[in-house]
Amino acid sequence: MRRVASGVTLAALVLLPFFGSNYALDVANRCGIAVIGVLGLNILTGFTGLISLGNAAFMAIGGFSAAFLITKAGVNGFAAIPAAGAIAALLGMIVGVPSLRLKGLYLAMATLAAHFIVEFTVVKWESVTGGVSGMSVPAPALFGVVLDNDRKLFGLVLLLALAALLFARNLFRARPGRALIAVRDHETAAAVMGIDVFRAKISAFGLSAFFVGVAGALAAIQSRIISPESYPLSLAIDALSMVIIGGMGSVAGSVLGAVGLTLLPEGLRAATNALSGQWPDLISKLSILKELVFSILIIVFLIFEPHGLAALWRRAVRKRHATTQQQPEGGGK
Amino acid sequence: MDFTFLLQLLINGLVVGSIYALVATGFVIIHKSTGALNLAQGEFLMVGAYVCLYAMTTFRLPFAAAFPLTLAFTALLGVLIERVVLRPLLGSPVISVIMVTLGLAGLLRSGLQFFFGTDTRAFPELFPSAPVMLGVVPVSQGYIWSVAGVTVLLTALGLFFRYSRAGLALRATASNQQTALSMGISVKRMFALSWCIAAVVSAIGGVLLGAIRGGIDMSLGHMGLKVLPVVILGGLDSVPGAIVGGLFIGVVENLTGGYLDPLLGGGVKEVVPYIVLVLILMVRPSGLFGRKKVDRV
């Protein structure tokens, strides 16, 4: 049953570029990119227990690295994406070094500082980043295939999102991923069991920044033009919202949170358009409305369901399972 | 010429710094007694400024009536937020508490935007606009009033903590919750009280800032993030630290902004406090006056 469901979903996604509208593909790309980024943040915050307010900074590092590599270093667009991820990973590990001494709110502050320092650097380092005016990002091209619109880009985004998903799922079934969870749950106990806490934390930062950097590079390629203003602090907070609402420490939750909260503003847009007859000023307040809804969702989820959509999902599945088992004769298959 | 410029920067720094100190005090009070990190402190400031503005412009109340009304409103808001949002999360991981205050910040900010719009609103003139000569440097009267107001307020808070029953109970809660409980102090009520004080103190900061600037907009909320370097510098659980840190960050920000902005083309003021933050975290995470109990590994 589950296999059928995932097969159908996958088939629908593969076929999307052939029948989806431009708008649908734009949204689908943003969903896929969000999945990659949120998985990255969840590896760090959800699975390893290290809060980061620096997510937007790593998106920026990924985006500007890709842009620089493609336009100024002449690197092929396809190669620039993992390279941007690698640069972000390297810087992520540097930012992660203080995390060995700092926990909780101190780490939140350190990563917040990292956000502002990266923002300042991006604005000032004009020779590389183009300063306040930003840069344009050319479409990646290989063997005559140019991914210059959302329809063509979707295949790449889908592929990378699936790869990220598979990697994350298997990571937490294997020793290195388990080590991160152990560090989150009890650091001393983890160390006693022979886990190198230093290595675990640094690799969590590096891995997380790699995912986020790749997401940043893809987002830059999708939007074609980037500037320091493309990466406000609210972007980092949105990403944290996706992690929390999806489910901290859950791979499936990352997908639910990323897709759900990327679709939500689109739903709001449709709703405000529909209601614009009665309340004409509603459309202009869309971004405010979005923030309002996100904020309320964060608070409500933290109070009532701290494990997010993933827990709701699991419970719903279990409930259905239980009811089908209770009445084996009546229900039928 | 050069000297007056320096003096001007110092005075600006001290004035802004005194408001940082005020907001940071609210932050420290919450952290000290409840252990929560309130990232919505800047939004409390905005609420104060906007409510006061609303009372003065829409209800046409004089400042003497609008101001107490603002304080009452924010006091209520502080208690309400503690009761509804923070209390259910008692005992949750630090990440949850930080995130819920971020959610709160977003809720307050978007709520204000929804209600008041995003344009800059002119703030009624509270102080005479003619500057006073302080030696060779002209200083606006708003600055003087604001520094005086902050000084009075911080002194009052100090006296409250030292001599009043509630203040003592609050300090007892901060020092040891178990013992405070066994002495018959309602710790829950103390949590509510600390949120209430923090909200009120920030609201006053917001009104002062609105009066100094002459206009308010959503950028007021940035003060809430600027407070983080202040409290890290001063020590997360030290009220005197918040005051010293506030003045220091205010002055450093203005001096570096004044002297380095022309060289680097602006923006220095915004980033310097965070560089200070990183340095402090690396060298002395407990800050200048904080207790040396940092979650170290």
Side-chain angles (χ1 to χ4, degrees):
Chain A
M1 181 60 210
R2 243 185 98 183
R3 289 230 168 128
V4 176
S6 23
V8 169
T9 316
L10 194 61
L13 285 174
V14 169
L15 290 176
L16 190 63
F18 300 104
F19 62 81
S21 66
N22 287 340
Y23 171 69
L25 280 155
D26 165 48
V27 175
N29 277 335
R30 280 191 281 130
C31 284
I33 293 167
V35 166
I36 300 173
V38 169
L39 272 171
L41 185 60
N42 214 341
I43 289 175
L44 186 64
T45 300
F47 285 101
T48 321
L50 301 167
I51 189 166
S52 166
L53 291 171
N55 207 58
F58 290 115
M59 290 278 286
I61 291 169
F64 278 102
S65 301
F68 176 81
L69 288 173
I70 298 172
T71 55
K72 296 188 179 158
V75 175
N76 180 281
F78 286 97
I81 295 170
I87 293 172
L90 194 70
L91 290 169
M93 287 194 266
I94 294 172
V95 172
V97 171
S99 78
L100 307 167
R101 294 180 57 191
L102 306 169
K103 277 207 298 200
L105 39 95
Y106 288 92
L107 188 61
M109 295 198 190
T111 50
L112 182 73
H115 170 86
F116 286 110
I117 292 170
V118 166
E119 189 181 43
F120 183 77
T121 312
V122 166
V123 170
K124 293 298 162 197
W125 202 2
E126 276 179 36
S127 56
V128 171
T129 64
V132 272
S133 46
M135 337 175 56
S136 63
V137 190
L142 196 66
F143 305 128
V145 183
V146 188
L147 305 184
D148 55 357
N149 62 30
D150 278 318
R151 201 171 296 276
K152 293 179 190 162
L153 190 61
F154 181 73
L156 181 65
V157 171
L158 182 64
L159 204 67
L160 290 177
L162 285 176
L165 205 58
L166 276 178
F167 179 85
R169 203 182 62 165
N170 287 324
L171 175 69
F172 293 105
R173 287 173 173 169
R175 196 174 189 285
R178 293 273 163 197
L180 301 186
I181 297 173
V183 168
R184 173 194 70 190
D185 290 342
H186 202 300
E187 237 176 85
T188 319
V192 169
M193 289 192 299
I195 292 165
D196 187 342
V197 175
F198 176 88
R199 230 181 88 182
K201 285 188 172 181
I202 290 292
S203 46
F205 262 100
L207 203 57
S208 160
F210 181 80
F211 276 50
V212 177
V214 167
L218 283 173
I221 288 168
Q222 193 201 6
S223 66
R224 309 298 292 279
I225 186 151
I226 53 173
S227 79
E229 284 176 5
S230 320
Y231 306 95
L233 186 61
S234 59
L235 197 67
I237 296 173
D238 284 354
L240 274 173
S241 317
M242 291 176 182
V243 167
I244 289 197
I245 291 168
M248 274 191 271
S250 159
V251 172
S254 307
V255 179
L256 291 174
V259 174
L261 287 194
T262 308
L263 293 180
L264 183 68
E266 304 307 322
L268 281 177
R269 191 193 308 272
T272 48
N273 279 333
L275 291 173
S276 61
Q278 281 143 298
W279 296 286
D281 58 337
L282 213 54
I283 295 178
S284 62
K285 290 187 169 168
L286 190 66
S287 67
I288 303 171
L289 208 60
K290 183 202 134 197
E291 193 181 3
L292 193 68
V293 174
F294 270 43
S295 311
I296 292 173
L297 279 177
I298 295 177
I299 296 174
V300 167
F301 266 95
L302 278 171
I303 293 176
F304 295 105
E305 187 47 88
H307 300 291
L309 288 171
L312 289 179
W313 175 267
R314 221 175 294 135
R315 212 173 302 140
V317 168
R318 204 177 299 148
K319 211 172 171 184
R320 224 184 55 188
H321 206 68
T323 45
T324 48
Q325 272 184 346
Q326 266 168 16
Q327 2 166 271
E329 302 102 42
K333 296 264 162 108
Chain B
M1 155 61 203
D2 219 9
F3 186 62
T4 30
F5 183 58
L6 175 67
L7 270 183
Q8 199 85 53
L9 288 175
L10 275 177
I11 289 169
N12 281 346
L14 286 174
V15 172
V16 177
S18 68
I19 293 176
Y20 285 161
L22 198 61
V23 182
T25 305
F27 188 93
V28 166
I29 290 172
I30 287 184
H31 181 258
K32 210 172 152 166
S33 47
T34 75
L37 184 83
N38 179 21
L39 292 179
Q41 202 71 27
E43 278 67 24
F44 281 164
L45 190 129
M46 270 169 30
V47 170
Y50 273 98
V51 168
C52 190
L53 176 76
Y54 187 70
M56 287 173 79
T57 52
T58 310
F59 294 149
R60 306 205 170 281
L61 290 176
F63 181 69
F67 189 58
L69 200 72
T70 308
L71 299 191
F73 180 85
T74 43
L76 215 63
L77 184 72
V79 173
L80 189 76
I81 284 174
E82 195 279 333
R83 188 68 195 83
V84 177
V85 178
L86 272 303
R87 199 165 303 169
L89 288 181
L90 274 183
S92 299
V94 182
I95 294 179
S96 305
V97 180
I98 292 177
M99 271 313 293
V100 91
T101 63
L102 275 175
L104 206 57
L107 179 63
L108 291 175
R109 188 171 48 238
S110 50
L112 284 173
Q113 282 178 338
F114 207 80
F115 206 62
F116 294 104
T118 43
D119 299 335
T120 305
R121 295 277 210 108
F123 205 81
E125 216 167 77
L126 298 181
F127 312 112
S129 54
V132 178
M133 290 304 282
L134 213 74
V136 284
V137 193
V139 180
S140 84
Q141 291 196 34
Y143 279 20
I144 296 172
W145 278 106
S146 145
V147 171
V150 171
T151 315
V152 168
L153 197 65
L154 288 175
T155 318
L157 265 180
L159 293 174
F160 168 78
F161 280 123
R162 202 167 173 83
Y163 296 111
S164 79
R165 215 178 156 75
L168 282 173
L170 206 56
R171 274 168 59 202
T173 310
S175 110
N176 191 325
Q177 285 182 15
Q178 293 291 328
T179 320
L181 266 174
S182 69
M183 302 302 276
I185 294 168
S186 164
V187 169
K188 285 178 179 170
R189 207 172 291 167
M190 288 306 121
F191 282 12
L193 180 64
S194 53
W195 276 85
C196 172
I197 294 177
V200 169
V201 168
S202 308
I204 297 175
V207 172
L208 287 175
L209 209 58
I212 294 177
R213 287 197 189 166
I216 51 177
D217 54 29
M218 292 300 142
S219 67
L220 276 183
H222 296 323
M223 289 290 273
L225 295 178
K226 279 281 177 65
V227 156
L228 298 176
V230 170
V231 291
I232 285 290
L233 175 62
L236 266 176
D237 49 9
S238 161
V239 174
I243 297 166
V244 175
L247 295 176
F248 182 81
I249 294 284
V251 169
V252 164
E253 179 186 272
N254 270 280
L255 287 183
T256 49
Y259 287 109
L260 294 181
D261 264 353
L263 300 177
L264 292 170
V268 178
K269 217 171 157 178
E270 274 64 46
V271 79
V272 161
Y274 296 100
I275 294 175
V276 173
L277 190 158
V278 171
L279 291 178
I280 299 283
L281 281 181
M282 289 198 297
V283 179
R284 192 185 164 94
S286 55
L288 293 176
F289 301 96
R291 253 183 300 170
K292 282 198 191 63
K293 200 204 87 199
V294 173
D295 279 336
R296 280 203 190 169
V297 186

